[in-house]
Amino acid sequence: MTILITGGAGFIGSHCCVTFLEAGHDVVVLDNLTNANSESIERLKEITGRNIIFEHADIRDQDALELILRQHRCEAVIHFAGLKAVGESTQAPLLYYDNNVAGTVRLLSAMDNCGVRDLVFSSSATVYGDPKFLPLTEEHPLSAVNPYGRSKLIIEEMLRDLSASDPKWRFAILRYFNPVGAHESGLIGEDPLGIPNNLMPFIAQVATGRRENLSIFGNDYDTHDGTGVRDYIHVTDLVDGHLRAYEALKTRRKGDGCFAVNLGTGTGYSVLDMVRAFERASNKKIEYEFAPRRFGDVAACFAETSLAERIIGWKAQKGLDAMCRDTWNWVCKNPNGFSQPAE
Ligand code: NAD
Ligand code: UD1
């Protein structure tokens, strides 16, 4: 089976390629490289010993998409391509609606014209807005608090509308909590441009000495130690969830083909828990200071995971120590990300 993986050169998409290749599928990666380095594709070949077709293209280019889907006889799409910086989305909302929403419209139109009707979509826990209760179940009301989140919510609604309009479509909507970690080879991992916004890559850069200290945004939250609590999930567990979701999708009955599940571990850890776990994994001191709360942050966010277990037969396996160990292995081998060769 040939699967098109949009955004497959990026952090989560590259790990997903490994999982699908190891499961015996053929993979075509489509990426415009706005937030990725083509070196990740070379590393994928090294990890899997398999050939990977790479198409340097944009999901907003419907003609290119149709050509690629037809040429490689793709039978399903795993759709990671999108912009994901919350702050940037508030500064440039049209960019986010164009890239994420209009891009997905073009992708679905191309799929329709080519008779490809199965898609796994990267959504986010951000579609729950400010949690009204915890753990977050899939029934929690949906809302958006920034243009990035709204782009995910609009796409989710679009997929539900499309599925209701015609039973030939089958969609798995996967709501990620906080993906971290890296492939255990240390050959692929998260390579943020500039100063990382997210906690784990920032801590990792403090550990390698690339940044002086971590600013902890808020120590007066109503949590066990006052710092923000999140549901961190190992990226290899996360992509395993995509394979399970894809397999579940193929067995769905017509007219029952759209489901949304949380991909998290169900356990919340605070910023200070993460600092201590990373210190254990790296044997380095993580210097930090407390800073004011970050605008838009919530105190705590973690998943209820039983629906994923029931619908796709998936449960996260790896704990916090493995997440920190594999992140540390990746940054040690690639202190400058993909821009210099791995040791
Ligand atoms: P990433 O930036 O590493 O990967 C996204 C990839 O998509 C990049 O390689 C980028 O070059 C590509 N891309 C962007 N716009 C494109 C376009 N118009 N055409 C073709 N390629 C394009 O991000 P990631 O962390 O791997 O995230 C993958 C997906 O998961 C995204 O949709 C993101 O919104 C979603 N998600 C990520 C997180 C997270 O914390 N990493 C959490 C929830 C959801
Ligand atoms: C952020 C995004 C969210 C997105 C998610 C995954 C915001 C407001 N939210 O969420 O929309 O879905 O990333 O990409 O940007 N922290 C620090 N210091 C830092 C960085 C983070 O203390 O330098 C804290 C945060 O306050 C938070 C926790 O670490 O409590 C995790 O932060 P982060 O990794 O950015 O993830 P989210 O806040 O869940």
Side-chain angles (χ1 to χ4, degrees):
M1 194 77 88
T2 302
I3 318 270
L4 179 67
I5 302 193
T6 75
F11 170 42
I12 306 169
S14 59
H15 289 81
C16 193
C17 290
V18 175
T19 297
F20 275 74
L21 286 163
E22 286 175 349
H25 297 289
D26 291 320
V27 154
V28 175
V29 171
L30 181 152
D31 202 299
N32 68 359
L33 300 180
T34 47
N35 197 35
N37 188 317
S38 61
E39 172 64 16
S40 68
I41 305 293
E42 299 311 311
R43 303 280 182 90
L44 287 177
K45 293 177 185 165
E46 206 176 324
I47 292 170
T48 61
R50 295 271 304 275
N51 186 36
I52 292 149
I53 297 161
F54 175 57
E55 297 282 2
H56 188 180
D58 194 297
I59 54 166
R60 290 165 292 187
D61 183 346
Q62 192 176 327
D63 291 341
L65 285 171
E66 290 187 20
L67 204 65
I68 291 164
L69 286 167
R70 288 207 173 89
Q71 191 183 351
H72 303 296
R73 298 179 201 283
C74 298
E75 290 175 65
V77 177
I78 317 289
H79 179 32
F80 294 100
L83 298 173
K84 61 167 186 178
V86 173
E88 183 186 55
S89 81
T90 62
Q91 300 301 311
L94 286 181
L95 176 65
Y96 276 66
Y97 293 124
D98 182 46
N99 195 80
N100 295 3
V101 180
T104 304
V105 173
R106 298 273 74 81
L107 172 65
L108 290 163
S109 306
M111 288 172 65
D112 199 19
N113 289 343
C114 298
V116 181
R117 308 264 166 46
D118 289 337
L119 177 132
V120 177
F121 173 60
S122 301
S123 189
S124 164
T126 189
V127 299
Y128 295 122
D130 292 339
K132 300 198 179 353
F133 57 82
L134 290 168
L136 287 158
T137 65
E138 288 79 356
E139 279 74 44
H140 185 283
L142 303 180
S143 71
V145 289
N146 53 59
Y148 165 71
R150 197 160 292 110
S151 76
K152 292 291 177 191
L153 196 49
I154 294 170
I155 295 167
E156 280 205 10
E157 303 288 16
M158 195 160 71
L159 297 180
R160 283 187 277 273
D161 287 343
L162 198 52
S163 159
S165 76
D166 192 330
K168 69 191 176 199
W169 290 100
R170 293 186 292 197
F171 300 122
I173 296 171
L174 306 181
R175 296 179 182 149
Y176 311 162
F177 280 70
N178 291 60
V180 296
H183 189 263
E184 61 180 16
S185 63
L187 284 167
I188 53 172
E190 188 170 13
D191 183 15
L193 284 176
I195 302 170
N197 290 313
N198 295 120
L199 180 65
M200 187 67 128
F202 203 105
I203 290 181
Q205 292 192 5
V206 175
T208 58
R210 195 164 157 190
R211 316 236 163 244
E212 236 169 68
N213 66 349
L214 169 73
S215 293
I216 296 184
F217 301 140
N219 61 348
D220 56 352
Y221 285 111
D222 184 15
T223 60
H224 65 272
D225 60 18
T227 65
V229 165
R230 297 291 184 275
D231 186 340
Y232 298 92
I233 174 166
H234 198 295
V235 64
T236 59
D237 271 342
L238 186 83
V239 296
D240 187 46
H242 289 64
L243 182 63
R244 299 299 177 87
Y246 168 72
E247 285 163 353
L249 204 60
K250 302 300 282 182
T251 64
R252 301 291 280 193
R253 275 175 287 114
K254 289 192 171 188
D256 184 25
C258 184
F259 63 84
V261 293
N262 290 337
L263 295 186
T265 64
T267 304
Y269 290 105
S270 73
V271 178
L272 285 171
D273 292 334
M274 297 299 286
V275 166
R276 288 191 205 102
F278 210 90
E279 286 182 338
R280 279 198 302 277
S282 63
N283 209 18
K284 299 273 179 194
K285 179 100 189 75
I286 308 296
E287 299 294 342
Y288 65 81
E289 62 186 11
F290 291 116
R293 292 179 178 193
R294 182 172 66 180
F295 180 76
D297 272 358
V298 297
C301 176
F302 49 93
E304 161 59 48
T305 59
S306 56
L307 191 69
E309 250 182 288
R310 226 171 36 248
I311 296 194
I312 63 173
W314 170 90
K315 193 171 167 43
Q317 302 295 324
K318 295 183 179 170
L320 193 52
D321 288 338
M323 299 180 208
C324 294
R325 179 199 65 209
D326 292 340
T327 302
W328 180 235
N329 182 40
W330 153 251
V331 293
C332 285
K333 288 184 171 160
N334 306 271
N336 297 310
F338 285 113
S339 54
Q340 74 178 29
E343 287 156 4

